[in-house]
Amino acid sequence: MKLVLTQFVTLDGVSQGPGSSTEDTSGGFTQGGWLVPHIDEVFVQRTSEWLDRADGLLLGRRTYEAFARDWPQITDPSDPFAVRMNSLPKYVVTTTLAEGTWNPTTVLRGDPVRTVADLKNQPGRELQIHGSARLGGFLLSAGLVDEVRLVIAPAFIGSGRRLFEQGGSGGLRLTGHEITPSGLAILEYDVIGAAPLAQYEGISASDSGH
């Protein structure tokens, strides 16, 4: 399976609490809900198309517990995500949970690099990371993420956990981009390994291809 990191972020990179003020208040965070004013039909369509490609969800403990609390309560048959979120296999990377309550769930213990690499070797299409920014950033730095999908809200909020806080570096190649009517920037990337570096030698050198 390919490992795909899907994240909603502000312009200043905050990924905490996109959906509501109570979604994730850890660290005293009070500015949750920054994505909601910008949700539109194009956003819903694209994220639904992405979820169609999933054969499993990979989650960290914090996100898993929040999703396991909230998604089973959504029983509206017209909801575009609930049936798939509740029925897809869930894999949770944790050292503290003994078992999952949001079935079907598999708890992954031990070295996350090894356990996730083993999971990627299983047949399937996409193993998707939703939320779980710290886990996603760690696995990206470890070279296990194949694709990154970002939805960037037209807002900056100055506090909260950011997507790329774990250090490390890497290169990305843009494969798709779109702006929704409400101003969300949807960016899709392939992960290409090390971040390319070069020395700036002036406009003329750049134009000549040297």
Side-chain angles (χ1 to χ4, degrees):
M1 288 187 284
K2 289 194 302 185
L3 183 58
V4 180
L5 173 61
T6 299
Q7 289 289 321
F8 308 146
V9 296
T10 62
L11 192 60
D12 53 343
V14 173
S15 59
Q16 185 172 358
S20 77
S21 60
T22 59
E23 179 181 355
D24 182 354
T25 59
S26 59
F29 184 64
T30 61
Q31 299 191 76
W34 43 263
L35 180 71
V36 177
H38 311 289
I39 292 175
D40 56 26
E41 290 184 6
V42 173
F43 165 83
V44 172
Q45 181 179 347
R46 294 295 173 268
T47 50
S48 180
E49 289 169 354
W50 292 343
L51 193 58
D52 276 340
R53 306 174 195 172
D55 282 329
L57 305 176
L58 181 66
L59 307 168
R61 179 192 57 81
R62 186 196 303 271
T63 299
Y64 176 82
E65 290 182 332
F67 283 9
R69 177 194 66 220
D70 297 338
W71 278 108
Q73 306 306 314
I74 302 175
T75 57
D76 181 355
S78 65
D79 184 278
F81 303 105
V83 170
R84 287 170 294 173
M85 290 293 291
N86 286 317
S87 61
L88 279 167
K90 272 74 71 172
Y91 303 91
V92 55
V93 176
T94 179
T95 59
T96 56
L97 287 182
E99 59 183 14
T101 59
W102 186 27
N103 293 321
T105 291
T106 300
V107 173
L108 302 179
R109 299 183 180 85
D111 177 11
V113 172
R114 179 184 57 79
T115 57
V116 172
D118 289 344
L119 189 57
K120 285 185 61 179
N121 285 330
Q122 295 184 16
R125 296 171 301 165
E126 293 186 358
L127 178 63
Q128 296 183 355
I129 304 172
H130 293 267
S132 306
R134 285 184 291 189
L135 174 64
F138 171 75
L139 295 175
L140 184 62
S141 297
L144 290 176
V145 175
D146 300 295
E147 296 182 18
V148 176
R149 296 176 183 142
L150 298 180
V151 178
I152 304 175
F156 60 93
I157 57 177
S159 65
R161 286 194 311 278
R162 286 168 168 78
L163 176 56
F164 300 118
E165 291 183 327
Q166 294 82 4
S169 64
L172 304 171
R173 180 176 60 249
L174 185 67
T175 59
H177 59 90
E178 184 175 12
I179 305 298
T180 76
S182 68
L184 294 169
I186 299 176
L187 304 177
E188 300 184 65
Y189 296 93
D190 284 340
V191 180
I192 60 172
L197 302 173
Q199 299 297 322
Y200 179 67
E201 297 178 355
I203 296 298
S204 58
S206 299
D207 287 346
S208 65
H210 296 298

